[in-house]
Amino acid sequence: MKNKFLVLLATSFLIGCSGDSADDSPDSSSKRIKKVEEIQNDVLIKTTDYEYNSSGNIAKITVKDVVKIYQTTFNYDSSNKMISWNLKEYFISVPSDAIEQLNTLEYTNGLITNICIDRKETESGYVTNSIDRISQTYSNSGLTSIKHYLPITEDEEAVCSDVTDVSNEELFQYSNGNLIRYEAPGSGFFEEYYKIEHDEGTHYLSGIKPDAFRYCYGSQVSVNNVKKINIHDSYTNKITATVQFENTYDTNKNIIKAVEKYYYAGSTTPSNTTTMNYYYY
């Protein structure tokens, strides 16, 4: 679970700089994220590119790491309400081995509460079709739970409502608009949890629209940027690891421009250091 959440944070809390984002003017908070780079040991290991439609809503996100490419295209109805997104995930070395899925959104009181997933997975020429879903609950607009379900495979008659068996659940707790605690399940029980501290700078995803999409991202909807994560053993409550973030902003703290992320586990010397670079439109 530790790696899963840190991957989530790698997307949520990427920080950086660019010639496009050097503007320190008062309206710089309105800038939208364009590209994020993740660097380890002076090697670029991941890029995330953001594109927007004419209404200013997110239109496409492309993530590329050293192994795979993930392309997500977002679909809207005539009122500009996000109704679905198409995801394609494939290996760079073998593009024909791919996962393609249509995620259709269901809303309750303006929030995304159910995502129906129609998935096609191709591997070595063999195709597997499945129906899956994710459900989400909120307190006001703060995400409190994401439930993942066991998919139904190779059943042409299956529909989203048939997917009922929960495989695992993620739990979120917020304070003052920031995610302060996260728990992820192990084999039917919680093995560790995360306590998260934030600074006062504006979160870089605050410019992502529509709001309902940003809210359903969980950790990515925090008002401010993370500065520290303590990872606790669920049974002893002892800290087993710490992730420290050094954030650099423009003069008004409207745009986060750089971060150094340090991972400590049982030592005062970081076992892993990551640099994030941000580019804006």
Side-chain angles (χ1 to χ4, degrees):
M1 291 299 106
K2 184 181 298 181
N3 290 337
K4 178 179 179 181
F5 186 58
L6 295 180
V7 167
L8 179 66
L9 290 171
T11 305
S12 308
F13 302 112
L14 307 181
I15 316 299
C17 60
S18 147
D20 294 334
S21 64
D23 181 10
D24 287 350
S25 61
D27 65 349
S28 59
S29 60
S30 65
K31 286 184 176 291
R32 292 173 297 179
I33 188 65
K34 179 179 182 181
K35 183 177 183 178
V36 179
E37 296 177 338
E38 181 175 346
I39 299 168
Q40 288 183 354
N41 300 319
D42 296 322
V43 176
L44 180 64
I45 63 169
K46 181 189 290 185
T47 60
T48 304
D49 292 283
Y50 298 81
E51 299 176 34
Y52 304 85
N53 62 22
S54 58
S55 298
N57 287 335
I58 190 69
K60 186 176 183 180
I61 299 177
T62 302
V63 180
K64 181 179 180 180
D65 60 27
V66 295
V67 177
K68 284 186 174 184
I69 294 177
Y70 308 80
Q71 294 177 329
T72 306
T73 304
F74 300 92
N75 308 308
Y76 296 84
D77 64 11
S78 58
S79 66
N80 211 31
K81 178 181 180 180
M82 182 183 288
I83 55 174
S84 65
W85 62 74
N86 295 86
L87 170 65
K88 183 175 182 179
E89 168 189 341
Y90 60 92
F91 290 96
I92 297 172
S93 59
V94 189
S96 58
D97 284 359
I99 296 174
E100 298 176 80
Q101 62 185 48
L102 173 64
N103 296 350
T104 302
L105 310 180
E106 297 178 1
Y107 289 81
T108 303
N109 297 324
L111 296 171
I112 298 170
T113 51
N114 201 50
I115 303 175
C116 296
I117 303 169
D118 188 350
R119 181 183 296 115
K120 173 185 175 183
E121 184 170 357
T122 304
E123 184 176 1
S124 301
Y126 182 77
V127 177
T128 302
N129 295 289
S130 62
I131 296 294
D132 199 354
R133 76 181 179 102
I134 297 171
S135 64
Q136 305 181 141
T137 56
Y138 302 80
S139 176
N140 296 317
S141 60
L143 185 65
T144 58
S145 168
I146 297 177
K147 287 184 179 179
H148 303 268
Y149 294 79
L150 296 174
I152 298 174
T153 304
E154 298 297 354
D155 184 345
E156 294 182 357
E157 303 298 324
V159 295
C160 185
S161 58
D162 295 328
V163 181
T164 57
D165 294 332
V166 177
S167 62
N168 60 74
E169 183 176 13
E170 300 173 74
L171 302 176
F172 304 81
Q173 182 181 340
Y174 289 84
S175 176
N176 297 321
N178 289 319
L179 177 69
I180 60 169
R181 183 181 172 110
Y182 173 87
E183 294 183 84
S187 301
F189 54 91
F190 293 117
E191 299 172 339
E192 59 191 16
Y193 62 89
Y194 306 79
K195 286 189 174 181
I196 306 162
E197 300 175 16
H198 296 78
D199 62 16
E200 297 178 351
T202 302
H203 195 284
Y204 82 92
L205 280 179
S206 61
I208 292 284
K209 298 291 182 180
D211 289 336
F213 169 70
R214 193 173 74 255
Y215 294 154
C216 81
Y217 258 43
S219 66
Q220 300 192 25
V221 74
S222 292
V223 173
N224 305 118
N225 292 291
V226 70
K227 66 178 183 180
K228 186 178 182 180
I229 304 168
N230 284 325
I231 302 170
H232 295 254
D233 182 285
S234 293
Y235 303 111
T236 66
N237 292 318
K238 292 182 178 180
I239 296 174
T240 59
T242 297
V243 186
Q244 193 79 38
F245 297 77
E246 293 185 1
N247 301 331
T248 302
Y249 293 88
D250 67 355
T251 55
N252 297 315
K253 284 199 170 183
N254 287 329
I255 288 182
I256 190 161
K257 299 176 67 177
V259 72
E260 294 289 334
K261 183 172 68 174
Y262 304 95
Y263 181 85
Y264 299 88
S267 173
T268 56
T269 301
S271 59
N272 182 279
T273 301
T274 303
T275 300
M276 312 308 303
N277 293 320
Y278 260 67
Y279 303 83
Y280 295 85
Y281 282 96

